[in-house]
Amino acid sequence: MVGVITLALLPTITVVEAEVLPEAAKENQPQDFYCEQYNRTECSQKDPTLTNCTTKTIKKCEALEHPEKSHQCFVLWTNTSGKIEVDLKGCWLDDKTCTDTDDCISRQSVSSLTEQKPHLFCCCNNQQCNKNFYWHPAPEVPTTTAAPSEASDVVVETVAWTLGTLVVVVIVITILFYLYRRHRMANFMELPRVESTALVPPSPPMGLRPIQLQEIKARGRFGAVWKANLHGDVVAVKIFPVQDKQSWSVEKEVYSLPQMSHDNILHFIGAEKRGENLQAEFWLITTYHERGSLNDYLKANLVTWNELCTIGESMARGLMYLHEEQPATKCEDLKPAIAHRDFKSKNVLLKNDLTACIADFGLALIFRPGQSPGDTHGQVGTRRYMAPEVLEGAINFQRDAFLRIDMYACGLVLWEMLSRCSSQDGPVAEYHLPFEDEVGQHPTLDDMQECVVTQKARPAIQPSWRTNVAMVGLIDTMEECWDHDAEARLSASCVVERLSSLSSNPQFSPTSHPQKESSI
Ligand code: ADE
C-alpha cells in the first residue's frame, strides 16, 4: 500500500503555503537554513481546541558545529485510525538518516503503527521541506530482529534522546569551560605568600591540589617552572605541555621510585594531569628553592672556596645517590641505579644553605636489576654537555657507560664553579658556559664534535686558578671527570671523597660570603 498524505488533508492544522522568508534566506545564503516549526503541546496550551493553531512559525536553524552534520527539517505526527495530527515540526541535525531526501517522507511500515504508538517520523534536507509530509510505507518484510512497534518506539525515543542529549552536552561543556577559565585566571592573579615547603608531604592526590601559580621562574626544554602556592606553602610546579607528556611520565616515575628521598635530590610532592585532550597539561610539583639553579647563581655571584666545596660536595653526593643502587630496607624496596643523562648547572638547584639538589629527571634511565633499561637511543641531553662518546654516537648501552656520561658533565659543572671562584688570584671573569669561548652560545652537533671529539678540547683552565694545593686538587678532580677515556673517569663517590678532603684542607684559608657581580 502506498499512501500519500499532505497537510491539506489535516483537519486541525491550517497550512500557509506562501510563507515570507527572512531576507537572508531570500538571498539564498547557504549558511542560513529554515524549517517550519510546530509544537502541538504549546499550541494546545494556547488554544485547547487547536482550531486556530497554525504552523506559521518559520525557524532559522542553529549554525552547524560539526562539519559531518547537515541541516534538516523533521515532522513527527500520529496516525490514529486515519486521524492525522502533527506533534512536532522543526530543525533536525543528523549525519546519516535523511541525507539526500528532498521531501519529508516516512517509510515506516503500516504494522509499525499501533494504537498506543501511532507515531510517524520523517526528515528531509531542503529549506522548509517539512511544510508537507508524506507516508510511503515500506512493504512488509518478515524480520527476525526488532518488532515494528519497537522500531517506531526507537524513532520517537531517538528524537527525544538526541535533542535532550545535545542540550545537556552543550550546557555541560559551557559550564566546564567557564570553570576552567575562572580557575586559570585565579591562579594567575594570586599574590605571593611566605616560603615554607618543609611541611608539604608527598601525599597521593585526592583530586587536584589547590595550587595557585604565581610567576614563571624558569623555562626549560620541557615547559616552564612556576613558583606556586599550595596550602600556604611555596612550591615549584613544572608544567609540561601535552607533547612532553613522556618526560613528565619519566620524571614522575623516577621520583616515585623507592628510597628517592635524599637531601641532594629535589623533593617531590606530586604529579597531576590538568585538563583534557589537547588542553591537557602535566604538572610536577616539588619543593621550591628561591635561589634557583646553580647556573642562575653563578651568573650573578662569585663563590668562595668554602661555598664551592659546599656546592660541589653536595652536588656530587646527589649524583652518587642517584647512580647507586640502594638495597631494600624494612620499609622500602630496592632503589635502582639511575643515570641522569642531562646533567648540567641548570639542573642543579641551590638551597638556602647553598647545598645542592639535583632536578630534572625527564631523560633519566632506570636500571632495574635483571631488566633492560628500555627504549634507549644514546644521543640525548644538552649538546654542550655531551661526552665525546655521545657526540660520536659510540656509547655502549651498559649501565656504567651511562653513569660515566653523567660524570663527564659533572666535570664541566666543576669548571663552571672554579671559573667563578673568588679565591683565585686576580680578577674573576664573567660567567661563561662551558665551551662558550670555543663554540659560542648555540653550537651545532658538528661544532661540538669538532671541538670535543676531533680536537679533544676542554674548557680552558686559567693559571690564576692554581693558586694553592686545594684548588690544584680540584682542577685534577675536574680533569679526571672529563677524561676522554670514559673508563678512566672518576665515579661520583670518588668526587665526593675528593671534595670532602679538599674542603677540610687547612692549607687553604676560605673566604666567607658570596659577592654580587656588581660589587667586584
Ligand atoms: N627551577 C627549576 N626547578 C626549581 C625549583 N624547584 N625551585 C626553584 N627554581 C626552580
Side-chain angles (χ1 to χ4, degrees), residues 218 225 236 266 286-289 292 349:
V225 177
L266 180 60
T286 63
T287 301
Y288 177 77
H289 295 293
L349 300 177

Side-chain angles (χ1 to χ4, degrees), residues 221 341-345 363 377-395 401-402 404-413 416 434-435 439 443-454 456-459 481-484 486 489:
R221 179 204 307 264
R341 297 210 299 170
D342 196 19
F343 195 76
K344 55 183 177 180
S345 56
L363 287 174
H377 55 97
Q379 210 170 49
V380 298
T382 304
R383 279 180 210 143
R384 184 180 300 284
Y385 288 85
M386 279 180 183
E389 63 273 24
V390 178
L391 289 165
E392 276 185 300
I395 58 160
F402 288 104
R404 287 170 185 144
I405 290 165
D406 281 349
M407 293 318 297
Y408 169 89
C410 177
L412 297 182
V413 176
E416 289 174 74
F435 294 115
V439 295
T444 62
L445 212 52
D446 278 353
D447 296 334
M448 292 308 303
Q449 279 164 349
E450 171 63 22
C451 174
V452 174
V453 181
T454 312
K456 295 194 167 61
R458 296 294 181 270
C481 285
W482 69 35
D483 202 304
H484 199 87
R489 288 178 202 148

Side-chain angles (χ1 to χ4, degrees), residues 113-366:
L113 304 181
T114 65
E115 225 167 288
Q116 291 79 34
K117 313 266 183 204
H119 289 100
L120 287 156
F121 171 84
C122 70
C123 52
C124 48
N125 51 15
N126 262 344
Q127 294 277 7
Q128 297 185 72
C129 57
N130 63 342
K131 271 185 170 184
N132 298 330
F133 54 98
Y134 309 92
W135 182 29
H136 293 188
E140 298 289 326
V141 181
T143 169
T144 52
T145 57
S149 62
E150 282 169 10
S152 151
D153 278 355
V154 168
V155 172
V156 176
E157 276 173 22
T158 308
V159 175
W161 276 104
T162 311
L163 291 175
T165 312
L166 264 176
V167 170
V168 171
V169 166
V170 168
I171 291 171
V172 168
I173 289 174
T174 312
I175 292 172
L176 287 179
F177 183 69
Y178 170 76
L179 290 176
Y180 174 74
R181 298 278 312 194
R182 214 176 58 157
H183 168 74
R184 290 299 299 258
M185 290 309 290
N187 286 342
F188 285 107
M189 284 149 73
E190 278 297 321
L191 288 172
R193 304 273 279 270
V194 186
E195 179 183 351
S196 152
T197 56
L199 298 174
V200 184
S203 56
M206 304 287 288
L208 298 178
R209 294 167 177 82
I211 293 175
Q212 288 113 37
L213 302 177
Q214 293 170 347
E215 58 180 299
I216 292 194
K217 292 306 283 188
R219 280 183 197 281
R221 179 204 307 264
F222 307 119
V225 177
W226 287 76
K227 180 179 185 177
N229 185 291
L230 170 60
H231 299 307
D233 290 315
V234 180
V235 294
V237 179
K238 182 150 84 170
I239 302 185
F240 300 72
V242 73
Q243 63 269 25
D244 296 331
K245 183 182 175 194
Q246 173 66 11
S247 305
W248 172 81
S249 299
V250 173
E251 194 155 6
K252 181 170 74 131
E253 188 186 357
V254 168
Y255 279 122
S256 308
L257 287 168
Q259 304 187 58
M260 272 302 281
S261 269
H262 187 273
D263 277 353
N264 307 115
I265 303 282
L266 180 60
H267 176 71
F268 175 64
I269 295 169
E272 293 180 1
K273 179 186 177 199
R274 301 242 171 170
E276 289 300 325
N277 304 321
L278 288 176
Q279 304 282 333
E281 286 176 348
F282 296 89
W283 290 22
L284 202 108
I285 306 141
T286 63
T287 301
Y288 177 77
H289 295 293
E290 185 59 47
R291 290 191 195 271
S293 73
L294 175 59
N295 180 268
D296 296 331
Y297 191 78
L298 293 176
K299 281 183 193 164
N301 301 283
L302 298 184
V303 284
T304 65
W305 173 253
N306 270 358
E307 287 162 352
L308 189 157
C309 289
T310 303
I311 300 170
E313 188 183 327
S314 54
M315 174 184 89
R317 279 191 194 282
L319 204 48
M320 175 177 108
Y321 190 77
L322 194 70
H323 283 181
E324 283 180 354
E325 198 172 274
Q326 301 293 329
T329 66
K330 268 191 222 139
C331 312
E332 283 188 278
D333 267 347
L334 169 147
K335 174 209 160 280
I338 301 161
H340 190 288
R341 297 210 299 170
D342 196 19
F343 195 76
K344 55 183 177 180
S345 56
K346 278 189 182 154
N347 291 338
V348 175
L349 300 177
L350 290 184
K351 304 193 209 180
N352 286 337
D353 63 359
L354 274 192
T355 57
C357 61
I358 299 176
D360 214 326
F361 299 100
L363 287 174
L365 267 188
I366 303 169

